[in-house]
Amino acid sequence: MSTLLYRLGRFAYRRRRLVIAGWLAILLLAAAAAITLMRPFASQNNIPGTESQRSLDVLEARFPTADGAEGRIVFRAAEGSTITADPARRTVLAATGAAAAVRGVASAEDPYDAGAVSADRSTAITTLTFTEEPAEDVPAGTRDAIEDIAERARASGLTVELGGDVFVEQPAPFGVGEIAGLFVTLCVLVFVFRSLRAAVIPLVTALIGVTVGVLLVLAGSRFVTMDSSSLTLAMMLGLAVGVDYALFIVSRHRDQVRGGMAPEESAGRAVGTAGTAVVFAGATVVIALAALAVVRIPFLTVMGVGAAGTVVVSVLVALTLLPALLGVLGTRVAASSIPVLRRSADRADGGRPGGRPGGRSGGQWKGRSGRRPGAPASAGLRWAHAVTRRRWVVLPLGVAGLALCALPALDLRLGLPKDRGDSTAVRAQDLIDAGFGPGYTGALIVVVQGSTMNVGPAAEQIAGRVTALPHTASVAAPVPNATGDTVMIEVIPAAGPDSAHTQDLLDDIRRARDPIAALTGTRIDVTGSTAVDLDVAAKLASALPVYCLVVMGLAILLLTVVFRSIVVPVKAALGFLLSVVGALGAVVAVFQWGWLSGLVGLDGTGPIVSFLPILVIGILFGLAMDYEVFLVSRMREEYTRGRPAREALRVGYAHSAKVVAAAALIMVSVFGSFVLSENAVVKGMGFALAIGVLFDAFVVRMTLVPAVMAILDHRAWWLPGLLHRYLPHIDLEGERLARHLDGGFAPGNGTREPRHAAPESALAEDPHAGARGGRGVRGDG
């Protein structure tokens, strides 16, 4: 693979105009497809085949109602007066009549005739049915007309708010917070490269990749029902991995050019070596996201596939468009026109100020310090020495710290938290909760099916049992359908849809219905939007351990092939588990318990959104394997070249630590910027992924991994002989490519080129070069 990518990198460098034009064409075609095919997003939180969803389908078939989206106008009387007395009553009736006359409104229900007046007579609800379905298809002009009616009613002294899905405000997918995250990312890249030109390249390629990916997601909305969270996740993940993948390739390329390698050759080698790791890292993220399909929840599958597609585009951009843009810069990628950055780069490399990199001779150049550019950074080397010397202290402290962070996860409660903020839909819900109780809009629907002779008695019995259950606010009279073979009973919970008491009530109803159904020969199910949401949460909670085992098993299998070791993959999977439970513990502490919730702009607490943990597991698995590959592959590269195991650990760590740390900071800044979103679901995803990357990169990979590797010494690279013979050789480190090129032959053009020693290698200064540093089977072939 490394040889193929080497050729691809050189081709993109030489044919840069063609490659750039090709990506611009792809961008335009994706934009045209999105504009032509995209449809409005629609929430679809269901699981086909479950009791609640099956019963909901029965209700829609046997209790036909006016098709169309629903909305609400909520009226509340002034303090000291009632909504049933004039002039408040006249205002409500006038507003209801005006709403019924609005174009696009199918009906407006009189709250006094419908009984939609609170017990204390302070609040009334006019239910609107629109001609369009879903809510996102209701024209903006229709919504504006209803808002004008509400504004006129407010002028009479009433408090009036608009609720329901039609009036839920969809936050912009990209705002000030995300722009701030991009600015932080640019600052990190400038710090790493000491060059504004080099720093801009990863940002440009990431933005192009995520734009193409998001446009394709929008085009895909024509064929599948898609939630707005799918777009947000694709954007969030595409930006993060796009910058990171470009960072690894540009970092390798820039070091080589500063070391004297010809830019075209360097671009090929960077794509052939770092690009191979990028392909594997991207594949792990894609597999983890695509594996969400095994949970068999449609909206989750759509989210995973959409995000995976964006990651695929980001990998392709890094392997093709990136070397093309490096070709535009040429040798300028290795230097900065800003004096302070140029001097900083020279000091970091130990090179002479004003040195001109990129000579054609291919030789190494040294600065006044005599140290080659690309030699291990002193800070990373010092940290590696400190961790490996105190490994028996670092390891238990790190594990104990993450275990402490994970403790709140024992109280993890999944659900669908209600919207929070200061929108009219949120204020309308608050008025309903205050006037009618928090369970009014989260009714459970009991559906009794059977013969016309027995459904009536069965409905009366189950209604009586449910009335006596704890956490029941009220039970409506049974309502039969036109043929008399199905009866619907509306149950209002005493608590809100996101309360644990409502889950208890759902479980109690399902336990109570079994003996009645058996005695009367009927079928009794419970449905409603609240029941569907709770069933989704229960399904996801049961799938969580299985999915976690699947991705951990996948991690062990993939890393065994890549690193040709048994111990390293097991250690990587256990480290991933520590990161995940630590991140989930932090999410529970902040979003469910309310600890430090003000720092993330959270207005209230509640259950964790049901699909968040499984998404976090899938995404963090891919990212954790990214960091494992980028960090440990360099250790293995040094080990297979003959260094003793612990020395290879320190040297490989020192080479990789700075880039891995920068990549992690970029991930944290991108994910963390979404914490500023007004959407509670997006806020939770951003926080969980940011804290998960922070734990995995800095605690697990950069601290616990070197400690464990130092304890294991050469045993970390042990592989049974049978596996050594039959496992495929991935050549992640590009050893075969290096041997091929160092022999003087450049694949792909049939010409001889001067030998270029990789600037990262310090073998010439290593007294142990060529020695077999430790026992065990080597995986370099």
Side-chain angles (χ1 to χ4, degrees):
M1 178 181 287
S2 58
T3 302
L4 176 64
L5 293 180
Y6 169 85
R7 293 170 177 167
L8 180 62
R10 293 197 63 172
F11 171 83
Y13 190 98
R14 289 196 302 269
R15 302 288 187 269
R16 45 189 172 272
R17 292 182 180 178
L18 177 64
V19 173
I20 293 172
W23 275 105
L24 288 177
I26 291 172
L27 184 61
L28 292 175
L29 288 174
I35 293 171
T36 305
L37 300 175
M38 68 178 292
R39 296 177 59 190
F41 292 115
S43 298
Q44 187 182 26
N45 196 29
N46 56 52
I47 308 178
T50 59
E51 173 187 328
S52 57
Q53 186 60 45
R54 184 175 57 246
S55 304
L56 198 61
D57 296 338
V58 169
L59 279 183
E60 292 175 353
R62 300 189 183 182
F63 290 85
T65 58
D67 292 331
E70 284 192 349
R72 305 182 192 93
I73 308 177
V74 185
F75 305 90
R76 185 175 181 84
E79 190 71 27
S81 61
T82 65
I83 203 72
T84 56
D86 288 334
R89 181 186 178 93
R90 286 199 306 271
T91 302
V92 171
L93 291 175
T96 301
V102 172
R103 184 175 183 178
V105 175
S107 65
E109 192 175 61
D110 184 335
Y112 304 104
D113 290 344
V117 177
S118 62
D120 62 0
R121 297 182 296 171
S122 66
T123 311
I125 303 174
T126 293
T127 300
L128 306 175
T129 302
F130 296 86
T131 56
E132 297 292 335
E133 176 77 25
E136 292 78 6
D137 288 346
V138 174
T142 302
R143 291 196 298 268
D144 293 341
I146 301 298
E147 289 170 357
D148 290 340
I149 293 170
E151 189 60 37
R152 291 197 296 270
R154 292 188 189 105
S156 67
L158 298 181
T159 299
V160 185
E161 300 294 348
L162 304 176
D165 292 341
V166 172
F167 299 103
V168 172
E169 298 176 4
Q170 295 293 337
F174 203 81
V176 176
E178 289 74 24
I179 294 174
L182 290 178
F183 177 75
V184 173
T185 297
L186 180 61
C187 292
V188 173
L189 291 170
V190 169
F191 174 77
V192 171
F193 295 131
R194 268 78 167 187
S195 168
L196 186 59
R197 282 191 293 252
V200 168
I201 292 294
L203 208 55
V204 169
T205 55
L207 288 173
I208 292 175
V210 78
T211 301
V212 173
V214 166
L215 288 173
L216 293 177
V217 170
L218 290 173
S221 64
R222 166 67 63 177
F223 309 103
V224 294
T225 302
M226 191 173 295
D227 188 271
S228 60
S229 297
S230 301
L231 181 65
T232 303
L233 180 63
M235 182 181 298
M236 187 187 303
L237 198 56
L239 274 176
V241 301
V243 175
D244 272 11
Y245 295 163
L247 168 65
F248 288 112
I249 294 175
V250 174
S251 177
R252 177 67 69 99
H253 172 68
R254 187 171 180 275
D255 282 349
Q256 290 171 167
V257 172
R258 288 185 69 84
M261 188 178 292
E264 181 181 326
E265 174 70 10
S266 175
R269 291 204 182 203
V271 174
T273 53
T276 305
V278 164
V279 170
F280 172 79
T284 58
V285 179
V286 169
I287 291 171
L289 290 169
L292 291 171
V294 304
V295 183
R296 296 185 179 181
I297 299 178
F299 75 89
L300 197 59
T301 300
V302 170
M303 290 180 70
V305 172
T310 306
V311 173
V312 170
V313 173
S314 298
V315 172
L316 294 176
V317 166
L319 299 178
T320 56
L321 180 59
L322 177 61
L325 293 178
L326 293 177
V328 173
L329 286 182
T331 59
R332 289 175 295 171
V333 73
S336 175
S337 59
I338 303 175
V340 63
L341 295 178
R342 185 169 59 248
R343 289 192 296 268
S344 177
D346 289 335
R347 285 195 301 270
D349 286 345
R352 53 177 185 264
R356 184 177 179 84
R360 300 294 297 178
S361 67
Q364 297 277 352
W365 64 276
K366 298 182 180 181
R368 289 176 294 183
S369 66
R371 183 170 61 87
R372 271 192 289 248
S378 58
L381 195 57
R382 285 197 301 271
W383 179 253
H385 277 294
V387 169
T388 53
R389 280 201 309 269
R390 296 174 177 84
R391 51 192 177 274
W392 290 110
V393 176
V394 169
L395 181 60
L397 281 179
V399 172
L402 287 176
L404 187 63
C405 292
L407 285 178
L410 297 174
D411 189 38
L412 177 66
R413 183 163 57 89
L414 301 180
L416 191 65
K418 64 180 182 180
D419 292 332
R420 304 183 186 278
D422 194 32
S423 66
T424 185
V426 172
R427 292 192 297 269
Q429 187 61 51
D430 291 340
L431 292 178
I432 294 173
D433 292 348
F436 295 85
Y440 184 82
T441 55
L444 301 173
I445 309 298
V446 179
V447 182
V448 184
Q449 303 175 67
S451 67
T452 56
M453 299 291 294
N454 56 15
V455 292
E460 293 293 340
Q461 291 183 49
I462 189 65
R465 291 289 299 274
V466 172
T467 302
L469 290 175
H471 314 305
T472 299
S474 64
V475 178
V479 178
N481 69 334
T483 58
D485 60 353
T486 306
V487 174
M488 176 180 68
I489 306 170
E490 186 178 64
V491 180
I492 303 298
D498 60 346
S499 171
H501 294 315
T502 303
Q503 175 70 68
D504 294 339
L505 176 60
L506 176 62
D507 295 338
D508 290 341
I509 294 174
R510 285 173 172 168
R511 281 192 291 267
R513 56 97 186 268
D514 291 335
I516 296 174
L519 183 64
T520 58
T522 58
R523 177 170 185 164
I524 304 176
D525 295 319
V526 187
T527 186
S529 59
T530 298
V532 170
D533 291 341
L534 293 175
D535 284 350
V536 168
K539 175 72 173 178
L540 287 169
S542 64
L544 200 59
V546 176
Y547 182 74
C548 193
L549 288 175
V550 168
V551 296
M552 286 183 65
L554 181 62
I556 292 174
L557 178 63
L558 290 177
L559 293 182
T560 299
V561 174
V562 169
F563 291 124
R564 305 183 69 80
S565 163
I566 294 294
V567 180
V568 169
V570 173
K571 176 258 314 165
L574 293 177
F576 157 69
L577 184 61
L578 284 174
S579 303
V580 165
V581 295
L584 292 179
V587 170
V588 170
V590 174
F591 287 81
Q592 189 174 309
W593 293 358
W595 292 4
L596 303 176
S597 58
L599 295 180
V600 297
L602 198 63
D603 295 328
T605 60
I608 306 305
V609 63
S610 55
F611 57 81
L612 179 64
I614 204 163
L615 270 182
V616 169
I617 288 174
I619 295 172
L620 277 185
F621 160 75
L623 300 182
M625 296 309 103
D626 286 2
Y627 296 131
E628 182 76 14
V629 168
F630 289 127
L631 189 65
V632 179
S633 63
R634 191 54 191 264
M635 300 178 189
R636 173 176 164 74
E637 181 179 343
E638 297 296 333
Y639 181 70
T640 56
R641 289 181 178 180
R643 290 186 186 271
R646 288 186 185 171
E647 185 179 349
L649 156 66
R650 295 188 183 104
V651 173
Y653 182 94
H655 278 297
S656 306
K658 180 180 177 181
V659 177
V660 170
L665 288 175
I666 289 169
M667 284 277 188
V668 171
S669 65
V670 171
F671 291 146
S673 67
F674 286 86
V675 175
L676 302 177
S677 171
E678 296 179 1
N679 188 306
V681 174
V682 174
K683 187 186 293 287
M685 281 199 299
F687 177 84
L689 292 174
I691 200 72
V693 168
L694 199 65
F695 285 162
D696 191 82
F698 292 101
V699 180
V700 174
R701 307 301 156 191
M702 300 188 68
T703 304
L704 297 184
V705 164
V708 172
M709 298 285 284
I711 291 171
L712 295 173
D713 199 22
H714 63 271
R715 292 181 293 273
W717 304 109
W718 175 78
L719 183 72
L722 183 64
L723 290 179
H724 176 69
R725 284 193 297 273
Y726 291 106
L727 281 180
H729 190 91
I730 300 298
D731 192 26
L732 191 69
E733 306 85 5
E735 277 295 306
R736 292 180 180 176
L737 175 64
R739 288 198 299 267
H740 202 57
L741 295 178
D742 289 345
F745 181 74
N749 60 7
T751 61
R752 309 285 298 186
E753 291 199 359
R755 173 177 175 173
H756 296 275
E760 294 85 3
S761 174
L763 288 178
E765 299 174 359
D766 178 19
H768 301 286
R772 305 300 285 179
R775 293 168 293 176
V777 177
R778 300 281 180 169
D780 57 354

